[in-house]
Amino acid sequence: MTTSPVLVQDREALEDALDAQDEAALAVDDPAGGRPYLRAVVMTMGALHDGHLALVRRARELADAVVVTIFVNPLQFGPSEDLARYPRDLDGDLALLTGEGLLGAGDVVLAPTVDVVYPDGDPVVHVGAGRLGDVLEGAARPGHLDGVLTVVLKLLHLTRPDVAVFGAKDAQQLAAVRRMVRDLDVPVEVVAEPTVREDDGLALSSRNAYLSAAERARALGLSAALRAGAAAADAGPDAVRTAARAALDAALTADDAVDYVALVDPATFADADDATSDALLLVAARVGATRLIDNAPVALRAAATAGGAA
């Protein structure tokens, strides 16, 4: 008996695999009020690393059946971005996904081609990210979040999950997905998994493979900026931004460029101010030719103190 997940690459095979999961659900679902049978989905673009596997482990904890999607979505890449060279290794990804606490018999890996996801070519109807798509990542990569939300909604329809697990490293994407699910009444629970980091603090990313040794050392400036910003939290929002930007500038060279350093409300992505208590510090930079992002929560004591005094 196989213990490997089922690999599917077209809609018909996916439907068959999901139907098989649903049939298996009849044997374990408890109509008397126990935990219901649940399906979880983890959406990836492949080139998997330990950060992705943490999402899969979380999905495994939350649900009886798991679907992992592997799809490099062209809608979320700009004309000058790295769509053509984005790392792809389906065999390696499948090997990583199989094992204790990961995928097993009955689970599904959906690895469709572009024409399967977009059978009529570039879709006429897109999902718009609204105000969330106009700032930070949306400003640096116009249309990016619209492309993300469009494919996420399609994959939610195709995989029919109860739970969708996303990584917290892509914080603006996570916020946009949550807002889409809320605004469009999508029947799925969105769960966030904390960012997974290397021992030296670098956030795991498939794009880290692009970095030379020297570039990787400079890329540590992103996590250093987050630490510096958090350390300045008692002095207020402007101090957080200033400290984070100084740390990032100190780590980078003339070969690199800062896209943004921002402190925002984590739900709306409006700039944090003195009335904000729980904020999110975000940084984005190009290290050599590689664009990296990172973020961390920041508790602003000044706002909490003011609230307590009231």
Side-chain angles (χ1 to χ4, degrees):
M1 178 173 157
T2 180
T3 59
S4 298
V6 177
L7 172 64
V8 299
Q9 296 184 282
D10 59 56
R11 291 170 181 248
E12 293 75 18
L14 175 63
E15 283 295 317
D16 289 345
L18 296 181
D19 288 346
Q21 287 184 341
D22 291 343
E23 289 177 10
L26 297 176
V28 298
D29 207 357
D30 183 1
R35 184 173 72 86
Y37 184 93
L38 298 175
R39 177 186 292 124
V41 67
V42 176
M43 300 181 191
T44 81
M45 294 204 301
L48 301 184
H49 51 65
D50 284 345
H52 296 112
L53 299 185
L55 304 182
V56 178
R57 290 189 180 94
R58 182 64 172 145
R60 174 84 290 149
E61 293 171 355
L62 294 170
D64 304 275
V66 178
V67 179
V68 173
T69 69
I70 298 175
F71 178 63
V72 181
N73 175 38
L75 294 191
Q76 67 193 71
F77 288 79
S80 61
E81 293 184 342
D82 58 342
L83 174 61
R85 72 182 185 115
Y86 194 86
R88 295 166 171 84
D89 180 13
L90 181 57
D91 289 340
D93 291 342
L94 292 173
L96 287 174
L97 286 168
T98 303
E100 183 68 28
L102 297 168
L103 301 189
D107 296 319
V108 175
V109 177
L110 171 64
T113 56
V114 172
D115 62 303
V116 170
V117 178
Y118 304 115
D120 299 316
D122 191 19
V124 174
V125 176
H126 293 245
V127 180
R131 292 189 299 274
L132 276 170
D134 295 333
V135 299
L136 303 180
E137 287 300 289
R141 306 176 67 188
H144 167 69
L145 284 172
D146 294 350
V148 169
L149 293 184
T150 299
V151 78
V152 166
L153 186 58
K154 286 179 70 72
L155 291 173
L156 289 174
H157 286 316
L158 288 171
T159 60
R160 311 196 307 258
D162 304 286
V163 179
V165 183
F166 290 87
K169 184 176 77 71
D170 293 308
Q172 193 170 354
Q173 170 183 291
L174 174 62
V177 169
R178 281 179 162 157
R179 189 72 202 197
M180 176 186 72
V181 165
R182 175 183 172 183
D183 287 352
L184 301 185
D185 294 313
V186 182
V188 66
E189 178 186 1
V190 176
V191 173
E193 181 70 9
T195 300
V196 178
R197 300 180 180 278
E198 300 280 5
D199 291 341
D200 57 11
L202 183 67
L204 293 184
S205 169
S206 299
R207 289 187 170 95
N208 289 351
Y210 299 155
L211 298 169
S212 67
E215 289 168 344
R216 191 191 182 287
R218 302 201 303 273
L220 294 176
L222 278 78
S223 55
L226 299 178
R227 292 192 297 272
D234 288 352
D238 289 342
V240 171
R241 297 181 182 99
T242 299
R245 180 61 190 252
L248 187 55
D249 285 342
L252 302 183
T253 71
D255 295 326
D256 312 317
V258 176
D259 272 1
Y260 58 76
V261 174
L263 187 71
V264 304
D265 180 293
T268 66
F269 273 64
D271 285 342
D273 57 25
D274 290 335
T276 308
S277 56
D278 297 318
L280 189 66
L281 178 60
L282 304 106
V283 294
R286 297 183 186 278
V287 182
T290 303
R291 188 174 186 276
L292 301 173
I293 62 173
D294 205 347
N295 71 83
V298 174
L300 297 171
R301 193 184 72 171
T305 301

